[in-house]
Amino acid sequence: MTALVQRQMPRPAEILELAKFKKPELNGRRRRLDAALTIHDLRAVAKRRTPRAVFDYTDGAAEGELSLARARQAFEDVEFHPAILRSVPEVDTATTVFGGPSALPFGIAPTGFTRLMQTEGEAAGAGAAAAAGIPFTLSTLGTTSIEAVKAANPHGRNWFQLYVMRDREISYGLVRRAAEAGFDTLFFTVDTPVAGARLRDKRNGFSIPPQLTPSTVLSTLPRPWWWWDFLTTPKLEFASLTSTGGTVGELLDSAMDPSIGLDDLGVIRDMWPGRLVVKGVQTVEDSKKLAGLGVDGIVLSNHGGRQLDRAPVPFHLLPKVVREVGKDMEVAIDTGIMHGADIVAAIALGARFTLVGRAYLYGLMAGGREGVDRAVQILSDQIVRTMKLLQVSCLEELTPAHVTQLTRTAPLPR
């Protein structure tokens, strides 16, 4: 029988052509970050490198954490409908939001206690935002000052998230400082009249400054690099508040005021020279009410599931809200975003913009500024790839026809 394959002795030169050895990466941080292909990969690195109480503060949510789980599930329960035979050699991910440009359809959400997670904190986030051409949002509970964030992102877009506190003058002072520093958008936050019950934090004794217990000490012993950073950098404290001691719930309850109302929104509107956005909207009715009050936009958000558990899923609300108020003001969304495809789906259903919180913080904990850059790059690559597979060349070409929202639960008729 005639042989089907002609055999020969292996030639070393041909073997070297077929199998090229990868140059080893000697920088441990860069090696870890290069190996992270998804935000979930960055989360795994962050969990290994961060004390449990700190990681749980970032990763956790309120009570049974149902709001967060449902928000993430909602994005996973998306069916895309790609077009075919459309030439899309390149895609344009740029957009305009709240009166200015962004190179990508997402920005960095406001997060508190950020330097506790990794000492580069908000400066790393603002610097990464500057490099990527996207907005950065500073929290009232931030651990870097308004002025220092401006220095880290001097030519980019900086936004400020405002809690209206019991002592109104503190809030008014922050509004004035943000305006003087050139921040262009203010997020008036309405979903935190009191602190949610974050049970992971209570079980871990999480506080500012950290409370040491035998359990927390054991958790930090395998992570000496975190303690080295913590002890050899400036004292951790709120940059915008004078009170820094106590548990997270105690700090929020002492600062927040459950009596805030429409009058407070009017006062801030008169004070603030830039775009005013209400963050924490969770019903269609409130969206319609705000559309008539002169605000420039809203953020559909349940605070990352960290306040009221079993709150509405922002992504489920999105199409209804856009139909009702999308012509009157811009609608953004956060909570549960872990993939660039989540962002594409939100834009397709009418969101003008999206915000990422935990996704950015996982990168920060995994590798400081380089980790944030990696998180932004992962999401950016996923957005571009998803758009090319849908065969759309720009964000404006995304429509509700590209997305079906599948549901595992549906409300019972009343």
Side-chain angles (χ1 to χ4, degrees):
M1 186 173 65
T2 305
L4 297 178
V5 177
Q6 182 179 353
R7 299 191 180 277
Q8 64 185 29
M9 291 298 294
R11 298 187 178 98
E14 292 179 353
I15 293 174
L16 290 175
E17 287 180 3
L18 293 172
K20 295 184 181 295
F21 289 99
K22 182 180 178 180
K23 182 179 178 181
E25 176 57 70
L26 301 180
N27 184 301
R29 173 182 287 193
R30 196 164 298 127
R31 187 169 60 248
R32 289 191 301 273
L33 295 177
D34 288 347
L37 304 181
T38 67
I39 299 299
H40 289 284
D41 290 343
L42 288 176
R43 178 185 178 276
V45 176
K47 188 173 184 179
R48 292 197 304 268
R49 297 190 60 80
T50 311
R52 184 181 66 198
V54 177
F55 177 81
D56 279 353
Y57 171 74
T58 306
D59 192 61
E63 303 200 42
E65 305 190 359
L66 297 174
S67 290
L68 176 59
R70 290 174 181 174
R72 287 182 173 168
Q73 190 66 61
F75 282 115
E76 292 178 6
D77 289 344
V78 159
E79 181 178 87
F80 282 121
H81 306 292
I84 60 171
L85 300 178
R86 298 186 74 246
S87 176
V88 187
E90 300 293 336
V91 299
D92 182 4
T93 62
T95 188
T96 58
V97 60
F98 305 143
S102 178
L104 294 161
F106 70 91
I108 293 180
T111 61
F113 307 93
T114 311
R115 284 189 56 243
L116 182 66
M117 299 158 199
Q118 204 275 350
T119 52
E120 295 175 50
E122 290 91 352
I134 63 176
F136 175 83
T137 317
L138 176 64
S139 169
T140 294
L141 299 181
T143 47
T144 302
S145 71
I146 290 169
E147 294 76 16
V149 164
K150 177 64 175 179
N153 185 18
H155 306 297
R157 299 190 67 192
N158 293 305
W159 299 346
F160 188 75
Q161 175 265 333
L162 179 73
Y163 288 122
V164 176
M165 290 171 281
R166 294 177 189 273
D167 185 343
R168 296 293 196 271
E169 285 304 319
I170 295 176
S171 298
Y172 300 159
L174 294 175
V175 170
R176 286 188 285 267
R177 281 176 60 190
E180 290 169 2
F183 284 46
D184 64 75
T185 298
L186 186 76
F187 284 176
F188 184 96
T189 302
V190 296
D191 58 9
T192 314
V194 296
R198 301 174 193 173
L199 302 186
R200 289 204 221 182
D201 296 344
K202 291 185 178 181
R203 292 178 179 126
N204 289 327
F206 181 81
S207 66
I208 304 294
Q211 294 176 349
L212 298 182
T213 66
S215 177
T216 56
V217 170
L218 286 173
S219 170
T220 56
L221 284 177
R223 300 166 178 85
W225 51 82
W226 185 89
W227 276 110
W228 173 254
D229 280 347
F230 183 72
L231 295 172
T232 59
T233 52
K235 178 184 175 183
L236 180 73
E237 56 187 358
F238 293 120
S240 301
L241 302 176
T242 56
S243 174
T244 61
T247 66
V248 177
E250 290 168 348
L251 288 166
L252 286 174
D253 284 339
S254 67
M256 305 311 146
D257 188 350
S259 71
I260 66 168
L262 292 176
D263 290 345
D264 293 295
L265 178 62
V267 170
I268 299 300
R269 169 73 282 180
D270 291 341
M271 290 181 63
W272 178 249
R275 299 296 174 112
L276 181 65
V277 176
V278 177
K279 183 177 185 293
V281 180
Q282 300 178 65
T283 68
V284 176
E285 291 72 21
D286 281 338
S287 302
K288 293 165 66 175
K289 182 189 300 182
L290 290 166
L293 293 177
V295 302
D296 299 297
I298 58 174
V299 180
L300 299 178
S301 170
N302 62 31
H303 212 102
R306 298 167 75 82
Q307 291 303 111
L308 175 66
D309 206 11
R310 299 178 176 85
V313 174
F315 184 59
H316 284 165
L317 278 173
L318 177 63
K320 300 174 189 175
V321 170
V322 169
R323 282 197 297 269
E324 292 289 341
V325 304
K327 294 181 180 179
D328 302 315
M329 58 185 178
E330 294 178 317
V331 179
I333 185 174
D334 71 12
T335 305
I337 294 171
M338 291 286 283
H339 195 286
D342 303 342
I343 295 169
V344 171
I347 300 301
L349 290 181
R352 190 65 187 173
F353 204 64
T354 63
L355 294 161
V356 296
R358 287 181 181 88
Y360 132 69
L361 294 176
Y362 293 141
L364 178 67
M365 291 187 291
R369 164 63 194 277
E370 291 180 70
V372 181
D373 288 334
R374 182 64 181 145
V376 171
Q377 188 61 57
I378 287 170
L379 293 172
S380 175
D381 290 346
Q382 292 169 341
I383 290 169
V384 169
R385 183 166 58 250
T386 302
M387 290 176 65
K388 285 186 174 182
L389 289 169
L390 289 173
Q391 298 195 26
V392 297
S393 61
C394 62
L395 298 175
E396 289 73 19
E397 291 181 5
L398 289 167
T399 72
H402 287 107
V403 175
T404 295
Q405 288 179 302
L406 308 175
T407 61
R408 302 189 182 209
T409 58
L412 294 172
R414 296 181 179 178

